[in-house]
Amino acid sequence: MVCALALCMMMPLQANAQKKEKAKKEKTPFVWEMPELTGNETVDKYLLTCDTLNNTMSKYVDGITFYEVAKIEVVGDDGEKDIKYHVVDAEGNLRSSNLAFKQNMQLIMAYPDLALQMANVMALEASAVAAAPSLGMKALKYSKFLKAGPKMCSEGGKQMKEIYKRARAQAKQIKALKAGNIDDVEALNAEVNAGNVDAGAASMRVISMQKKDYEDQFGKLTAEDNANPVSGFDIPEEEV
């Protein structure tokens, strides 16, 4: 009887734990889908602004390659190591520092407009909600779309801001590399890995390469840098 009573007491606890675990697994990221226009000018303006923001956010994320400055141990035929510092991608391949800097600057310069679009969505949301009753029976159908703007700005906005912050840190890191300030490059690694909670986030990545492989990659990236000159490495003041 005691065992049976214990089991009865445990079952609700296990059921609640399973429900919570299931709820966590079932939570999916917000996805925007543009509905048909309602015919109401106020509501439709809000929906179109949400759609524009969603497209802008998608373009902001698509095609991004994050870079970092790594310490390269170039190993010669005699086993001797020569230390170099270069911009690399996630796979450890040497990449053009000029192209990497330009991409980060594009993300930095695009963010203010993105933030303005998020502000416009939030400003239009209240008037769209107020106008919704005029849709009659369709108001219920469009309720989830009216709630989409704040969700998009909240969830998507956090991701956009993290990308922006990371782009700023990477741009500063590359600028420090170009100036030969390796100590500054090392210090900036913590900012570059702003989303990394590991204790070693600030440690510079060390990559070992054979001299021939290094020379082949270095020749290609030097050509890319020469073909894509950067007139200046000025990074605008943070606007968010």
Side-chain angles (χ1 to χ4, degrees):
M1 289 178 65
V2 173
C3 291
L5 181 60
L7 285 172
C8 289
M9 293 176 65
M10 289 295 295
M11 286 176 65
L13 295 175
Q14 291 175 344
N16 288 334
Q18 289 174 351
K19 285 181 181 179
K20 289 180 181 179
E21 186 66 25
K22 186 176 181 182
K24 288 181 181 179
K25 290 181 180 179
E26 289 179 351
K27 187 176 181 180
T28 56
F30 170 76
V31 177
W32 164 260
E33 293 180 3
M34 179 65 184
E36 293 181 6
L37 295 179
T38 66
N40 180 288
E41 183 178 354
T42 302
V43 176
D44 288 349
K45 182 178 180 180
Y46 170 73
L47 294 175
L48 289 168
T49 305
C50 285
D51 194 56
T52 299
L53 175 60
N54 181 70
N55 291 335
T56 304
M57 285 182 169
S58 296
K59 289 178 181 177
Y60 197 73
V61 175
D62 289 347
I64 293 178
T65 300
F66 284 117
Y67 305 101
E68 63 183 308
V69 175
K71 181 178 181 179
I72 313 296
E73 294 182 342
V74 182
V75 183
D77 294 336
D78 56 0
E80 290 293 319
K81 295 179 180 178
D82 187 15
I83 304 300
K84 304 287 185 180
Y85 295 91
H86 289 285
V87 174
V88 300
D89 57 24
E91 286 72 40
N93 300 308
L94 304 188
R95 300 296 291 264
S96 164
S97 57
N98 286 358
L99 288 176
F101 184 82
K102 284 183 176 182
Q103 179 195 260
N104 284 310
M105 288 300 294
Q106 287 172 354
L107 293 172
I108 293 168
M109 301 304 291
Y111 187 82
D113 180 62
L114 181 59
L116 180 61
Q117 288 188 41
M118 285 189 279
N120 287 339
V121 165
M122 296 305 296
L124 293 172
E125 188 256 347
S127 57
V129 170
S134 66
L135 300 179
M137 296 298 293
K138 291 195 299 182
L140 184 61
K141 173 185 174 182
Y142 283 89
S143 62
K144 69 174 183 178
F145 298 104
L146 295 176
K147 297 175 184 176
K151 286 184 180 180
M152 193 184 301
C153 292
S154 176
E155 296 179 22
K158 288 178 183 177
Q159 182 188 15
M160 301 303 109
K161 189 168 184 178
E162 283 304 312
I163 292 173
Y164 169 77
K165 288 166 61 179
R166 190 170 179 178
R168 286 188 60 83
Q170 288 183 332
K172 289 189 289 185
Q173 193 187 40
I174 295 170
K175 180 179 180 179
L177 173 69
K178 288 286 191 179
N181 301 326
I182 301 304
D183 289 341
D184 291 342
V185 172
E186 182 93 32
L188 283 163
N189 271 358
E191 290 187 55
V192 173
N193 295 287
N196 189 342
V197 297
D198 295 339
S203 299
M204 181 175 287
R205 187 176 175 189
V206 179
I207 299 172
S208 180
M209 298 181 66
Q210 293 300 311
K211 185 176 180 180
K212 184 180 184 306
D213 292 337
Y214 171 82
E215 290 178 344
D216 287 345
Q217 290 193 39
F218 181 74
K220 292 177 182 178
L221 74 87
T222 300
E224 286 183 327
D225 275 347
N226 291 336
N228 297 277
V230 175
S231 56
F233 286 87
D234 296 327
I235 303 169
E237 293 296 322
E238 191 165 359
E239 299 187 26
V240 294

